[in-house]
Amino acid sequence: MTTDHDENPAPPEPPAPGPENLVHFNPWRDFNDAAPQIDVFGDEPDPAQIAQFMEVVFGYSDGLIPVRSFIDKGQGFDGRPHNIWIEADAAAPDKMVTFAGWAAREGAAVYVIPGTVAEPGQARAADIEQMQTVVVDLDTGDIAAARAHLERHLGPPTMVVESGGVTPEGQRKAHVWWKLTEPAEGSDIARVTRLRGDIAAKVGGDTHFRSAHQPIRVAGSVYYKNSLKTLVRIVELNADFERDLDEFVEAVTDMPPAPGVSLQPEFTHADRPAVDDVLVTPVREGATDDWSRFEGASAAIGHFIRMVHEGRLSKEAGWEGICGYNAAMLRPEWPVERLKRESERLWALHVEKNGPPLVRLDSGAPSPDELPAFSLGALLDDDSPMPEDIIGPRVLTPGGLLVLGGAPKVGKSDLLISWLVHMAAGQPFLGFAPPRPLRIFYLQAEIQYHYLRERLRQIALPPDVLDAARDTFVATPKLKLLLDDEGSVRAAGAIQTAFPDTPPDILCIDPIRNLFDGGPEGGGENDNTAMMFFLKDRVEALRDHIDPECGVILVHHTRKLSKHQVKEDPFLALSGASALRGFYTTGLILHRPDEEASERRLEIELRNGPALAPKLIDKRCGEWVEINPLNERLVRQDVGAKHDAERIRKGDVILALLFEEAAEGRLYTSTQFGEAFENTAGLGSKYTIRDRLAVLTTKGHVKFRRDGTAFGHAVVRSRFGYLCVEGMRFGRETQVDPETGEVLGEGIPVLPSHYKCPQSGVCLDVENPAIWVYPEGVDD
């Protein structure tokens, strides 16, 4: 765990505190519980503000809160830090009040890491499991202007805390907090810390909060520094203001830098020699030159370390550069052991200061001097056969990139898994066909292991497809990593392990959002530069490392658009930067044209082939099927659906009336029923009722009985007879079997004697009145 002085922030990743400076918190044993002495010359901890602070920062979180106290500078005495971990539950505010009271009596400041961990003793960035806030520390410059800029572009914050310090210009330093709608976990924690750094960079705040383990003062505690004692106080509280992480990322991406703030880093320092000079100037022993061998070696090693860390060189190439400088410029050269030791020391310091390295994957992409170019004649004269599609027709071509987008819960993961398993089995799916069984690696970060295997069992796939794809479809459980260089190396290793002999045909990454890495600048998926970095330096580098001809499928979310916008250009719905659409070779968008209907529409955009018509698909009996668009209405769809529903309602009312009327001892012919129930229950005129009855008799829902004598009715001599429905009984008198005494139910069964032929419309005899048969091939 780190300490955090306003002027001198702590190193990003120190070791966890050892047992010699741990204090195990028990408010009834470890601290003096005598009544505190009132300091009339200074403030005391404020329990109400501490409770408000804890609710904003930890109210939704689970786990342990790392808390630290230490003696602030300028008091004339020192003391060792104290570390405790308290449970993020309802008792946390009271425990924090007790600890803050003890710290105030000791002249110590109180800090927390604004995130929770799993175990006591954990306080490193990698240990943080949940974070529910985004915070920026405004400790320099025009703080009032910075706060106004933030509120103008990001909206009102949830909480503003004056930390106790004062700038040289006389402005009070402040911590500005935004509470998220739910705690960030897994890869979202990295998004939160990048967001904190981006906000700080744009308003001139403290960029050390790019580190997840950076501590911050507790509001309601006491600030001691430079002979000043004051309360760390909340000056603005909007407890109900919460932000969705994805929407907040977009808002921060769109926010311009505050006036006078530059995002361009300073790379040169006047008091140090330029790296170009260091790399070409020999350095002799005894400090006879402008800089010593140690200074030259350190500068050269640092240069190559930065190149490796930023992904511009592989580790092997960086070490070769260091050895080359040692051999060519140091007189005499350093021993290899010393060179290696110094390189490892500087590497550790650089990683500690700048975060995890961007270790480059060795790529098969052509180097700049191999850039291919062809004349018009050469292109026209080349009659070689076209490459075979990975998924036809031209949906995924060798080396191509396909993006599948869809809103949450629209079914894209279910569709994708069904599609990939069919491709792994070599079977066509919704008109998309592979040339053979494909080797597929499914790199996904949404579904945990047990739910993934449950999902695969629930998807209705033919047994022969499952058998054929058992070894050619490989999937990961939910991953908790970013596809940065470290993540890319791990992914490449997993792919090589899964397919050791032949590389996969398709690499699928699902979804972009959970694995996105925007590069050294830390941009989000709404930033075009960050998106291009992810596509080129992450996805393409990983693909080229595996096989340059491998096809890539990226799964992405969509944002909400109006129906008119979706109709005009459905691919505008893809979330994030517009650079994605200009990069892919194939785009697929899955959406529901009608939110109340189950059908989905799959929009298709191809770069490497002729346009494909959209597909109307649905999941029927557990399987994805394509629906003939000619069977769907083109105009007045909403009105047509209402008419369909009304016809179904009228049919159900007619069947219910026939059933209930028979129970009351009444039977009807078609004409009698229409006249008796005209304008009843919204059925309309007798002609409308007779039309509905004609449809119901054709579909087999209504049949006829000509002989009504058993029910006190005459024999009908017309073409048909009395109307009857399935399960209909006449009267309510209980029927008992005279031989067995079994109660058969209420009323006498009304069994049909005739039915209407659905093809010819003639009246035919029923073969077995006891079995109700519906015509084959007639829809309900």
Side-chain angles (χ1 to χ4, degrees), residues 425-489:
Q427 299 294 324
F429 179 78
L430 299 179
F432 304 136
R436 52 176 170 76
L438 302 177
R439 298 174 299 277
I440 297 173
F441 192 89
Y442 182 35
L443 187 74
Q444 66 93 23
E446 280 196 326
I447 309 173
Q448 295 171 317
Y449 170 78
H450 295 291
Y451 305 101
L452 176 63
R453 63 187 179 90
E454 180 184 55
R455 174 77 66 88
L456 289 170
R457 290 193 180 102
Q458 289 174 345
I459 296 175
L461 294 170
D464 58 326
V465 171
L466 291 174
D467 290 340
R470 291 184 68 89
D471 299 323
T472 51
F473 175 79
V474 177
T476 66
K478 181 179 180 179
L479 298 177
K480 294 183 178 180
L481 57 80
L482 293 179
L483 201 62
D484 53 14
D485 271 297
E486 182 182 354
S488 297
V489 170

Side-chain angles (χ1 to χ4, degrees), residues 5 14 26 65 78 96 142 147 176 236 377 443 479 531 560 584 598 602 645 650 682 693 702 755:
H5 295 270
N26 184 329
I65 304 169
D78 296 319
M96 184 63 77
D142 190 343
R147 284 181 55 184
V176 183
E236 181 179 347
L443 187 74
L479 298 177
M531 178 62 74
K560 292 183 179 179
Y584 62 64
S598 62
L602 188 64
K650 288 181 178 178
L693 280 170
V702 176
Y755 72 97

